[in-house]
Each structure stands twice: as C-alpha cells, then as structure tokens.
Amino acid sequence: MKGYFIKRIFSALITLILISTLTFVMMRSIPGGPFTSEKKVPDEILKALNKKYNLDAPLHEQYLDYMKGLVTFDLGPSFQKKGISVNELLASGFPATAKIGLIATILIIGLGLPLGIISALKQNKPVDYLVMFMATIGVTVPNFVMATLLIYFFAGQLGWLPTFGIESSLGYIGPSLALAGYSLSFVSRLTRSSMLEVMRQDYIRTARANGISEYKVIAKHAVKNALIPVVTYVGPMVAAILTGSFVIERIFAIPGMGRYFVESVGNRDYTTIMGMTIFYAAFYIVMVLIVDIVYGLIDPRIKLGKES
C-alpha cells in the first residue's frame, strides 16, 4: 500500500508538471498579450509593463521563473487585477465556490443514490416511471436554463429566494439546485441501471435461494457492487463541482472562482489562467486517488499496489 501511494504521488507530480508546461506553452502561443487591447497602448507603457512582469525575458527564463514559483506555491501576480496575486484570488474565490459545490454534492449523493436504488427495486412501477421522468428532464435541461427558471419562479414570482448573491443562507439554494440538477439526475439513472444489472447476477439468485432475507441481499450484496460505476463518476464530478461552475456563478453573481476564471480568459491574464488550471488539475488528481481507495473499500477483491 505504501509503495502504491508513493507511485501515485510521483505520477501526480509528473502530471502536474506536464499540465503546467502545456498550459504555459499554450498561453504564450496565443497572439497578443495580457496588455494588448483594442485601444492602442503607447509603446513606452507597453515596454514598461512587460518589463515589470518579466514578459520581455526569453521564454525559457519565464518558464523557469514560473516553475520555481509553483514549487513554492507562488502562482504569481494577476496581470489585470493590480496589486493582487493569483493565490489571493484563489483564497477569496474558493470558499464561496466550495460551499455551493459541497451543498450540491450532498444533494447529488443524498438524493441520487436512494432514488436510483428505489427506482430499480420498483422497476416498471409508477415510482420508477416518475423518478426516470424527472431524471430525464434533469439530464436534458441545461443548468443555465434551470438557473433562469429558479430565479424567475422562486425569486421573481414567489419571492422566496434572493435573485442573486449569497449574503443570506437562502442565497445558496438556487445555485446549489442549478448546479446539482444534471449530476443528480445522471447519478439516479446510473444507480438504477447498475442496480438492475447486479440484481440479475447469479450470486444474487444464490443468496435468495439460500434463504437470506431480501434486505440483506440488497444492502449487503447488491448495493455495494452497484456503487462501483457510480463512484467512478462521482469522484471527478466532485472535483468539477467544488472548483466551480462559470455559468452558474455568473448568473447568480457569486464571487467565486468561476468568475475570476472567465474574466482571466477574456483579459488574457496568463498567470490567473495557469493558476486556476493547475489548481483544478491538482484537485482532480486527488479525487481520482480517493476514488481508487474507495474501490478497495467497496469491493475487497480490488487490491491496490502489488497485490492487484
């Protein structure tokens, strides 16, 4: 197990270096720069700005400086927000994004799994039809449409929720529901199909033939094995949700990471784009590692390290 984790940490570092290098090359390959705009900037000012941010240095020097900064967790200054570093942008935007993402994740797992299991156990009955109907709507309706509908009905017509912002606890309901809609529906459908497949396996029939109670058959044998494909989806999904949705944060005017990322792309803020990308990549890699560990907990036949 120890050797497995050392290998995974080493491969994660290699992956982050490759992602950092690729992002750096792509940002520098785009024509123009962070200080070019439709309005002509005097050459003297442009030279002074490039010198201040070391953009006039040879490319390999810029790359080495950036990689040195990554080693010390210094993502550099933002080119567009004066006097603010990328670390400060992450520190200010991530808490709001993570809170909404955490509520959405609880909704997805807390409702998606039970609904999928109930739907499978009640196959071709009214409960199954109702759950699948709602899940189909949730999968097909884009989250920005759902966000608009939530604002129109619950904020505009009923006045139950605030239109934008997260100053009050009620402000988290709208963006969390809009963010969770698609994944909640997908997890329900995935759990249902996985449960139906497991319930048709020979070992389930054998367990029933041996007189084991239906509750034990489902809880001890069926659900655990049915969760494996669901966990595969949930791990990367949690990373994506906790690091923010650009559209949802824009619609609800939430000061999260998504807003900074969209602004940095529009303004060609190299350091912010690279910092956000690397932060997301690191988060994603950690979640994939957690998924691998959960595999072993759900199904003891799945071993980590040499035993695999």
Side-chain angles (χ1 to χ4, degrees):
M1 182 70 80
K2 184 179 177 182
Y4 172 80
F5 280 111
I6 292 174
K7 286 181 181 177
R8 290 301 301 264
I9 292 171
F10 180 74
S11 64
L13 291 175
I14 296 295
T15 304
L16 284 177
I17 292 172
L18 290 175
I19 291 173
S20 306
T21 304
L22 187 62
T23 310
F24 180 87
V25 172
M26 290 178 67
M27 287 296 100
R28 294 303 192 275
S29 302
I30 298 174
F35 306 114
T36 55
S37 61
E38 294 180 358
K39 185 178 179 180
K40 177 69 175 177
V41 178
D43 291 339
E44 294 78 12
I45 296 177
L46 192 59
K47 286 181 181 177
L49 287 171
N50 286 335
K51 185 176 182 180
K52 179 181 178 182
Y53 291 104
N54 202 31
L55 294 174
D56 57 348
L59 206 56
H60 68 278
E61 288 186 18
Q62 294 183 44
Y63 175 73
L64 290 175
D65 286 343
Y66 185 74
M67 296 307 287
K68 286 178 184 174
L70 285 183
V71 173
T72 58
F73 301 103
D74 180 8
L75 299 173
S78 168
F79 289 162
Q80 296 297 329
K81 297 184 180 298
K82 308 303 178 190
I84 299 178
S85 68
V86 178
N87 294 55
E88 290 172 330
L89 288 179
L90 286 173
S92 65
F94 183 66
T97 298
K99 285 180 184 175
I100 293 171
L102 184 62
I103 296 171
T105 302
I106 292 172
L107 287 174
I108 293 166
I109 297 175
L111 293 177
L113 292 179
L115 287 175
I117 294 170
I118 292 171
S119 182
L121 297 178
K122 303 292 182 182
Q123 186 185 15
N124 297 329
K125 294 184 177 177
V127 175
D128 180 31
Y129 293 138
L130 178 63
V131 172
M132 286 302 99
F133 175 72
M134 297 299 294
T136 303
I137 291 177
V139 170
T140 53
V141 175
N143 58 8
F144 64 87
V145 174
M146 188 173 291
T148 306
L149 292 174
L150 288 171
I151 291 174
Y152 177 76
F153 286 109
F154 294 100
Q157 299 297 315
L158 300 174
W160 292 353
L161 302 176
T163 308
F164 59 87
I166 50 174
E167 284 73 21
S168 68
S169 56
L170 292 176
Y172 288 92
I173 296 176
S176 300
L177 288 174
L179 191 61
Y182 173 84
S183 296
L184 171 58
S185 304
F186 189 82
V187 167
S188 299
R189 295 179 65 87
L190 187 61
T191 305
R192 177 184 181 273
S193 62
S194 183
M195 273 291 293
L196 289 175
E197 184 179 349
V198 169
M199 294 293 285
R200 298 189 184 104
Q201 297 297 316
D202 290 339
Y203 65 88
I204 296 293
R205 296 193 189 97
T206 304
R208 284 172 170 163
N210 288 332
I212 299 175
S213 67
E214 187 67 13
Y215 173 78
K216 283 188 177 179
V217 170
I218 294 170
K220 190 175 180 180
H221 300 287
V223 171
K224 285 181 67 176
N225 291 322
L227 285 180
I228 292 177
V230 179
V231 169
T232 305
Y233 170 76
V234 168
M237 177 213 73
V238 171
I241 286 182
L242 288 182
T243 48
S245 169
F246 314 142
V247 176
I248 297 300
E249 291 184 5
R250 195 77 173 179
I251 292 175
F252 287 96
I254 297 168
M257 285 178 55
R259 186 186 67 173
Y260 293 136
F261 194 84
V262 172
E263 290 177 354
S264 66
V265 172
N267 296 326
R268 299 181 183 180
D269 192 345
Y270 292 163
T271 49
T272 304
I273 294 172
M274 290 188 289
M276 296 280 181
T277 303
I278 293 167
F279 181 81
Y280 175 79
F283 210 87
Y284 187 91
I285 289 170
V286 171
M287 291 309 302
V288 171
L289 178 60
I290 292 174
V291 167
D292 288 346
I293 296 171
V294 173
Y295 280 156
L297 297 176
I298 294 176
D299 188 349
R301 293 172 300 176
I302 301 175
K303 302 293 183 184
L304 304 178
K306 289 183 178 180
E307 293 179 353
S308 64

